[in-house]
Every structure is written in C-alpha cells, then in structure tokens.
Amino acid sequence: MKIIQITDTHFSPGKPHFNGNWAPLLTWIEDTGADLIIHTGDLTVDGADKDEDIVFSMDLMRQVSIPMLIVPGNHDVGHLKGSDQPVTAERLTRWRSLAGADRWLEDAAGWRFIGLNALLLGHEDDEEEAQFEWLERALADRGGRCVALFAHKPLFVDAPDEGDTGYWSVRPVQRQRLYDLIAAHDVALFASGHLHWAWQGGFGNTRLTWGPSAAFIIDKMEREMPGERLIGAVVHAFDTSVESTIVAVPGMTAHVLDDVVHEVYPQAVKQREPVE
C-alpha cells in the first residue's frame, strides 16, 4: 500500500503566488502509482474566510486520478482562540460543505488510516471532545489493524515533553491525551505538516513525519526548527510496518515566505508591527 502525503499547498484564485507548483506536483503524483493521496491541511491561503479559495483548491484536487483524503489546516478552518481567525462553527461549516469531512478513517491492506482535525485541539469545547470520543472508538474497534494517524499540526516541535508552543504544535494537555491513545493502541505513524520543515523521527514505538510544504519555505522570519527546508511530498509504504521517504519533487519552486508575506499574510504582518 503506497500513500502520498502532500501538505501546505496554499492555493488561491486571488493570491496565486504558489499555484504554479501544482502542475509539477500533479505530474509527479500521477507517476508514482500510489493507491491513495492524503493532504494534511492548509489546502488554501484563506479558505477559513473565503468560499472561493476552497472551491478553487478542491477543483485542483479533483484533477488527481488517485483517491484523495484531506484534513484541514489553520488556513482552511481557523486556529486557536485569540488568533486572527479562530475556529468557529461558521468556518467548520464552510469546510464541511465545500471540502468534506474534517475527520475520517479509511481501512485498507490491514491498516486503519485516521485523519484528525488538529485545529480543534486546544479549544476544550464540544467539537474537541466529540473528536476525541470518535478517535477513541476508531482505535478501539480497529479489529487488529495497524494504525496511522494524519493531522495538520505535529505533536511537538523540539521535545515530546515541551511546553506550549502556541502556534506550532498540539497543546500539552491534548498532546498527552493523544500520547495515551497512541501508546494504548500501538499507533505506528503520526504524519503532519504545518511547520514548513521536513523531518522524520519517533516517540516511543511511533514514527513521526513532518511533510514538506508544496508551497514555500520560511527563511529568517521564524526560528530554526528540526529537519530541512525543502518543497515536496512524502511517500509512505505500508506493509507489516511503514517506511516513509521525504521527496523533493522535481520542477517545484521553493518560494520563500519572507519575500511575499506582506501579500499573503497581511493580518500576520500587522500583528508583528511594533506598537508605538
């Protein structure tokens, strides 16, 4: 069973900065002979507020002949409370109506593949609790299948026991809850995106993979993180275990966010301006 993970494509009809990477990525995907594509979020630039970003991006995804499953990112449904675009019922409804479910499971080749909406984690509300209860059931009734989890945000950035990283990873309380479920059900893989860094590691018996963005890398405007800066995708090969290979896809452009952040992230830039 071969799964291609793509992530952080950041497509938009109104802000087309990264749209040119789709043609080479699509060609590469079709040539892989994969059984399934999983997109781990930030499909759009601003799907959290613009229907047209989701519609445009989903039209691109339908060009793929291989089945695809998608979980949302913060650009698609919003982020934490207090952010410019927190997750709301309206934003979740927009995603669910235009892109589909924000969590899912798929059984194939002796595996259960589970997609989570990582942007619910940290809200401590009914939506978060409903997803945790759903995840507990999905793991409990897996029927002996091996398990791989896919989500937008990673469990941690620098260390499994680190504190709250804010924007970057799952918050400590929810992270521990995931750790307990992962350990109890022998989850083999936790694959994510979001950081725009490509990295592989592990925690306990679980392999961890950060997929590289298909849109841009970040230079000096954020701190260094583990891994490497590249544009591409991940090939996950599932048998009795999983082998994951990070690929720099030929023909794609490694855009640098620092160069276009004023055009793509006007709200984020405004927040960083000094207060006088």
Side-chain angles (χ1 to χ4, degrees):
M1 177 84 180
K2 182 189 290 186
I3 291 179
I4 302 298
Q5 177 193 353
I6 61 175
T7 195
D8 297 86
T9 48
H10 293 284
F11 295 133
S12 171
K15 296 181 178 180
H17 300 67
F18 317 117
N19 294 352
N21 275 343
W22 177 237
L25 180 57
L26 174 60
T27 298
W28 178 82
I29 287 171
E30 293 291 340
D31 288 344
T32 63
D35 301 292
L36 180 66
I37 312 301
I38 294 180
H39 193 309
T40 48
D42 278 2
L43 171 65
T44 68
V45 170
D46 195 15
D49 278 335
K50 296 179 180 178
D51 289 21
E52 57 266 32
D53 271 35
I54 298 179
V55 171
F56 174 83
S57 300
M58 289 301 297
D59 284 346
L60 294 181
M61 297 304 100
R62 293 185 184 102
Q63 295 174 8
V64 180
S65 65
I66 302 164
M68 181 184 295
L69 295 168
I70 308 174
V71 292
N74 49 292
H75 283 253
D76 306 318
V77 296
H79 207 179
L80 295 167
K81 294 176 182 178
S83 65
D84 287 333
Q85 295 174 304
V87 175
T88 63
E90 178 183 0
R91 290 185 168 116
L92 289 173
T93 297
R94 177 180 290 111
W95 175 265
R96 290 165 179 168
S97 63
L98 297 176
D102 59 324
R103 62 175 181 257
W104 42 259
L105 65 81
E106 180 84 5
D107 292 336
W111 285 78
R112 171 157 288 187
F113 305 108
I114 299 175
L116 298 177
N117 181 352
L119 285 311
L120 298 179
L121 303 176
H123 286 263
E124 300 182 347
D125 58 7
D126 290 345
E127 286 278 4
E128 179 188 293
E129 187 58 32
Q131 180 171 241
F132 266 119
E133 292 174 0
W134 172 86
L135 176 59
E136 290 169 3
R137 293 192 299 271
L139 291 169
D141 70 5
R142 70 190 189 281
R145 298 178 182 89
C146 301
V147 180
L149 296 179
F150 294 83
H152 183 59
K153 296 177 75 170
L155 291 167
F156 60 85
V157 177
D158 297 299
D161 60 350
E162 69 191 10
D164 191 346
T165 64
Y167 180 85
W168 293 114
S169 65
V170 176
R171 285 184 161 175
V173 170
Q174 289 74 20
R175 183 195 307 149
Q176 186 59 54
R177 196 166 174 184
L178 287 173
Y179 283 165
D180 292 344
L181 289 170
I182 286 169
H185 297 281
D186 298 320
V187 173
L189 173 70
F190 191 102
S192 57
H194 186 53
L195 300 184
H196 293 254
W197 287 80
W199 175 83
Q200 292 191 78
F203 176 60
N205 295 322
T206 303
R207 298 299 300 163
L208 305 176
T209 298
W210 301 348
S213 168
F216 60 80
I217 60 174
I218 305 171
D219 188 16
K220 299 292 192 298
M221 60 178 293
E222 294 291 351
R223 71 176 179 90
E224 293 278 322
M225 295 188 186
E228 61 181 320
R229 296 179 175 94
L230 62 85
I231 297 299
V234 185
V235 179
H236 299 286
F238 295 90
D239 194 353
T240 55
S241 60
V242 57
E243 293 292 333
S244 303
T245 304
I246 295 170
V247 179
V249 175
M252 297 179 71
T253 299
H255 298 281
V256 179
L257 180 61
D258 308 42
D259 299 336
V260 295
V261 66
H262 286 74
E263 301 167 40
V264 180
Y265 291 84
Q267 291 176 312
V269 172
K270 184 177 180 181
Q271 280 193 332
R272 291 190 179 95
E273 290 176 353
V275 177
E276 297 181 353

